[in-house]
Amino acid sequence: MGRHRGRYAEEAPGRSRRRRGRGGAFAALAAALVIVVGLAGVGVYMFGNSGGCGGSDIRLDVAVSPELAPAVDAVARDFNLTDTAVDGRCVHVEVRQVDSANVAFGITGSGATMGDTDSDVWIPDSSVWPRIVQSQSGDAVLTDTGTSVARSPLVVTELAAYAEEAEAPTTWMDVVPTAAPGEQAERTVRVVDPARSSTGLGTLYLLNGALEEASPDAETFNAAMTAALQSLHRGASADEEAAFLALSGGGEEAPPLMVMSEQAAWRYNSAYEENAVRVDYLEGGTYYLDYPYLVRTEDSVLTRAAEEFRTAIRSDSARGHILAEGFRGPEGEVDTSVLSGDHGFLEAAPEELATPSEGSITDLTRTWNQMKMDSRVLAIVDISGSMLAEVPGTGMTRMQVTGAAATQGLEMFTPSSELGLWQFSTNVNNNLHYQEIAPIRELQATADDGSEHRAVLSQALGSLQPLPQGDTALYDTYLAAYQEMSRTYRPDRNNVILMLTDGDNDNPGGLDLDGLLTQIEAIASPSRPIPIITIAFGPDVQNLEPLQEIAAATGGASYMTEDPTEIGDIFIRAFSLRISEPED
């Protein structure tokens, strides 16, 4: 296995040899003879390495999470001066800073990696990484020694300027971003991509737990979690450095919050003194980064060398280096001159929550990635005559309320999501019962006149006009939409049909329910899912059962309300299908 020197690698001290002058050589030889004669006089002459070691060094390659690398490198420098030996050979520790996700994905092959992930010892920032490795690559050589090199709890941070003005959160539920699409959030919550950051994953874990406790049922939880995830996606950064830069710049109308480790908050304040953050410790406990000491070799010599360095890294002197870099020690001890109370740091260690299980890690990562995957949606709006009816208490027609709600729903989608718009009734397009108003394109795509597709859709939704004599060719339109989405299916996106209607199928001579389900079954493929989501509203919807059968056949959902003004909330519930448990 090749060894590469990283930025912290040092040549073994005392191993270089300089050419001596002849006079120096005679003096050294004379001194050596005196020592030998003296030892021989008392019968103590010894060969070998009394207080030292000989032969070639044993190079111990240690890969460390970047923020901990300076402290571990300082420990390694001290260790290398001790001439610690295994089988008479000096152990020389070389420290490299390597992103934890980079190593984990290098072992499992389940994510992007920059390479250079081999090492004899691995100290990631969290125990979640070896759990991911063990769940995805059970045969990987990875021994958990039970040693936590350092610890750092997750805390909530906000810019000190905002902390003086805004009410500080007290529980994790206070941190959950719950603003609906189009609404201004009270706080902007920033997070580092949980797919590559244990801090980001820990944030999801904490917010997920808070929502579970606050939600009376699974549907309520899924809807709330969907809203939270969408908000978090908008404030997500690819890495910690990018998150720090965005946080320091401010610029948001709402006071920004960010969950990070104590040590990260200390590092941030060191780099951005003019825009320092203040930390808060929330009720209910928190998740810790625990920096486990892991051995990745079965070689007997290297294993013993790793054990020697493990002993060194647990020493009092090593702990001094670790605390000086803003970490807590293995028992929660802290250097208050480093983590100062001036920025809200507390000496007492906060309550620790258990590290997420392998199943929780998998579920949360899947949920985040599903929400991150862009959507490809064909939205279909009913323009039958009944859409002219007025919605009580609004002064607006069903058509106007639907258009406004659908426009608000556009805010749920990322700029790179693809959306298209159809309208339907009966005979709206010569002999067809449906008509394309806007093709399926990315929301950020621009038309010939320079307008974005999102604006085109918004204008189209506000301009839809009901047909006074139009009926509701619901089933024929479902089939046409399913055929179109199947023909143009994109495997890298969530392909969805979204139907907005205020009535039951009403098209004598048209397709019936059995005929629709039969034709969908002939087209459908488990590897190319196209869920149909229907939002039915108004008193004219008499029977939801057919819509439920269509939803069941396609893996979608159907919702009904007599109040079209509730469509916005239903959008959230429909979107939460993306975080539901996958079927076996």
Side-chain angles (χ1 to χ4, degrees), residues 403-436:
T407 299
Q408 186 184 48
L410 285 175
E411 298 301 318
M412 295 176 61
F413 299 97
T414 62
S416 54
S417 293
E418 296 181 351
L419 273 82
L421 177 64
W422 285 9
Q423 62 181 12
F424 87 100
S425 179
T426 51
N427 300 317
V428 299
N429 183 18
N430 296 321
N431 293 325
L432 297 177
H433 303 309
Y434 57 89
Q435 182 177 27
E436 182 181 88

Side-chain angles (χ1 to χ4, degrees), residues 54 61 86 113 225 292 335 382 402 442 532 543 562:
D61 187 5
V86 170
T113 177
M225 191 65 178
D335 185 340
D382 188 344
T402 301
E442 285 194 3
I532 293 177
N543 186 9
E562 293 190 3

Side-chain angles (χ1 to χ4, degrees), residues 427-579:
N427 300 317
V428 299
N429 183 18
N430 296 321
N431 293 325
L432 297 177
H433 303 309
Y434 57 89
Q435 182 177 27
E436 182 181 88
I437 302 301
I440 300 177
R441 301 183 68 194
E442 285 194 3
L443 290 175
Q444 63 190 359
T446 54
D448 293 339
D449 61 358
S451 57
E452 281 197 350
H453 190 55
R454 189 190 296 270
V456 171
L457 287 171
S458 181
Q459 181 179 10
L461 287 166
S463 303
L464 293 176
Q465 296 295 324
L467 299 178
Q469 304 303 317
D471 289 325
T472 312
L474 192 59
Y475 298 160
D476 290 84
T477 304
Y478 274 136
L479 179 60
Y482 201 89
Q483 290 171 331
E484 175 65 14
M485 290 294 282
S486 181
R487 183 183 67 81
T488 60
Y489 187 85
R490 289 281 303 275
D492 60 331
R493 293 175 179 264
N494 290 302
N495 298 259
V496 179
I497 296 169
L498 175 62
M499 172 71 75
L500 302 174
T501 181
D502 76 337
D504 298 322
N505 184 68
D506 183 14
N507 181 32
L511 195 64
D512 62 13
L513 180 60
D514 288 340
L516 170 63
L517 294 176
T518 298
Q519 295 207 46
I520 286 180
E521 183 179 3
I523 302 171
S525 168
S527 62
R528 295 161 61 90
I530 307 172
I532 293 177
I533 298 173
T534 302
I535 301 177
F537 51 88
D540 296 331
V541 180
Q542 301 297 321
N543 186 9
L544 189 62
E545 185 175 345
L547 306 183
Q548 292 173 331
E549 291 189 46
I550 294 167
T554 62
S558 59
Y559 303 90
M560 183 171 67
T561 177
E562 293 190 3
D563 184 359
T565 61
E566 295 180 352
I567 291 177
D569 293 333
I570 296 175
F571 264 114
I572 288 287
R573 291 164 58 193
F575 213 72
S576 70
L577 287 173
R578 297 171 67 175
I579 68 172

